[in-house]
Amino acid sequence: PDQHVSTRSCYELVGNGSPGEPPAGLFSKVALEWVQHRRLIPPDACSTHKESRPDRKAYVSRTLTVAAVNFVMRPLKDFKDFADQVTGLLAATDGADLVVFPEMFTTGLVTLSDAWPFNRLEGLVELASFEPQIDKLFARLAAERRQFILAGSTLSAAEDGYRNIATLHGPEGIVLRHAKTQLLPVEQAFVTTRGGTYDVVDIGKARVGVNICYEIQFPEGANALVDQGAEVILCPSLTIGERGFWRVRHAAHARAVENQVYVIHSGAGGQPEHALPGGFARTAVLSPCDWPWESVNGVIAESETNVPDVVITEIDLDALQKARTSGETRTFRDRRRR
């Protein structure tokens, strides 16, 4: 007699599955009186007529509108040519809280270097000279558009060589810089050195962190972000060839499933010219594969392949907690042996 059932359960019991609607038929009325008499529910838990309850506020899900850019690299005439590419794509992100550009999408800028054309990848270190202009461009765009914009990644000069740095700009300035910690052999060949930390930042509605391309293939990097409360992992990527794309895509989705988080996989494509690397790109917003999401394969939105494109979608941040507590699996809880 001291146990209560929910309002929804009450109506299901009396033959009507819609709370707020009167029970239909004599049997339903008798059943309703019986459960109230037996104190299985509080006497006022079920109403036989529609009424508003001023003491109960409607719950609004915590959502974030995200956009991810599929960028195609090409030779450039000048820096304005690059800036026009960027602003043209950003025009399709109106309404987004967060925009993600790909790894090394700045590569076309090396065609403006005095050393161009060159036939060795080591020449890509020329990108570092454009870093101040890139930062200035994205600082202005983030402020004007009132968005958080991950300016993909680019090479940055460091005391011990060069680092592959991803910079997250906010309306009030830079909020996060992340240096890539896991490097491919080809990156190590042109004196790129490793970063050493994984940091997260709150962007108002959500906590985010960055795994750059190859980093996402190692569970530890994503775990480091999620252990600090990250709900969305930003994965800017440049993969030279389709095999590389699938390595990153499969790994990105694995991180989404095992940590029960969102992963935004933004890719750079383009045709190679001299030492300008080509890329295979198909950008996507990924979720866990579980009941809170309509997409059964966990791909919420996906771009066309190897063409300039933008995907924009709203993600429900509260759905992550639903999956972690009542999903078909509990991978976030079970990802480490206890």
Side-chain angles (χ1 to χ4, degrees):
D2 292 328
Q3 292 180 333
H4 292 162
V5 295
S6 68
T7 305
R8 178 171 295 278
S9 298
C10 161
Y11 279 102
E12 289 170 351
L13 177 62
V14 298
N16 187 320
S18 302
E21 294 292 336
L26 177 61
F27 174 77
S28 296
K29 291 179 182 178
V30 171
L32 178 60
E33 291 173 1
W34 183 83
V35 294
Q36 288 179 337
H37 174 71
R38 297 291 298 171
R39 296 179 61 214
L40 293 178
I41 58 169
D44 62 346
C46 292
S47 173
T48 57
H49 63 280
K50 292 182 178 180
E51 62 178 354
S52 60
R53 305 187 107 188
D55 59 329
R56 180 175 295 178
K57 295 181 180 179
Y59 177 72
V60 179
S61 293
R62 194 167 49 100
T63 61
L64 186 76
T65 301
V66 301
V69 175
N70 208 59
F71 194 92
V72 175
M73 303 174 293
R74 57 175 173 78
L76 299 166
K77 296 178 292 185
D78 50 30
F79 189 83
K80 182 179 181 299
D81 193 13
F82 171 73
D84 288 345
Q85 255 191 298
V86 169
T87 54
L89 289 161
L90 276 175
T93 71
D94 289 350
D97 303 299
L98 170 67
V99 183
V100 181
F101 279 82
E103 177 187 30
M104 296 288 286
F105 77 112
T106 57
T107 296
L109 290 169
V110 298
T111 63
L112 306 179
S113 166
D114 292 339
W116 181 261
F118 44 80
N119 291 303
R120 294 177 62 83
L121 281 174
E122 287 88 333
L124 290 177
V125 298
E126 294 290 330
L127 280 176
S129 65
F130 293 96
E131 186 181 21
Q133 290 173 272
I134 295 166
D135 278 347
K136 185 177 179 180
L137 170 66
F138 279 93
R140 175 177 63 81
L141 291 170
E144 289 176 355
R145 298 180 59 81
R146 310 306 294 172
Q147 290 174 315
F148 289 91
I149 305 175
L150 183 75
S153 77
T154 194
L155 291 184
S156 177
E159 291 182 359
D160 55 351
Y162 296 87
R163 291 193 174 179
N164 187 343
I165 302 282
T167 303
L168 180 59
H169 296 263
E172 309 303 328
I174 291 173
V175 297
L176 180 68
R177 283 195 191 271
H178 171 70
K180 191 173 182 179
T181 63
Q182 298 283 2
L183 303 177
L184 290 165
V186 69
E187 294 177 282
Q188 297 176 46
F190 52 87
V191 207
T192 307
T193 58
R194 301 173 187 273
T197 62
Y198 292 93
D199 299 312
V200 299
V201 64
D202 291 321
I203 59 169
K205 298 179 181 179
R207 181 167 291 185
V208 305
V210 177
N211 275 186
I212 301 174
C213 199
Y214 190 42
E215 289 183 302
I216 203 75
Q217 295 184 44
F218 301 88
E220 295 81 4
N223 289 350
L225 298 176
V226 175
D227 287 347
Q228 298 174 75
E231 301 162 292
V232 184
I233 297 176
L234 316 182
C235 181
S237 177
L238 168 58
T239 51
I240 303 173
E242 190 171 357
R243 280 194 301 272
F245 163 79
W246 284 113
R247 284 194 295 269
V248 174
R249 170 59 68 83
H250 288 319
H253 218 157
R255 304 295 85 82
V257 169
E258 69 196 11
N259 291 289
Q260 294 180 298
V261 295
Y262 294 102
V263 177
I264 302 176
H265 177 203
S266 174
Q271 293 300 314
E273 181 175 323
H274 300 288
L276 189 66
F280 186 96
R282 188 184 302 143
T283 290
V285 178
L286 308 172
S287 74
C289 302
D290 214 326
W291 68 262
W293 294 275
E294 291 183 6
S295 174
V296 294
N297 67 358
V299 181
I300 297 176
E302 188 172 42
S303 75
E304 297 296 325
T305 302
N306 293 333
V307 296
D309 200 3
V310 172
V311 295
I312 183 168
T313 189
E314 184 180 77
I315 56 176
D316 184 348
L317 299 164
D318 292 329
L320 300 173
Q321 190 58 31
K322 292 176 186 175
R324 289 176 178 182
T325 57
S326 59
E328 295 165 354
T329 61
R330 307 288 197 278
T331 48
F332 173 72
R333 181 194 66 186
D334 297 336
R335 64 198 170 110
R336 291 196 177 100
R337 295 182 65 180
R338 288 173 289 174

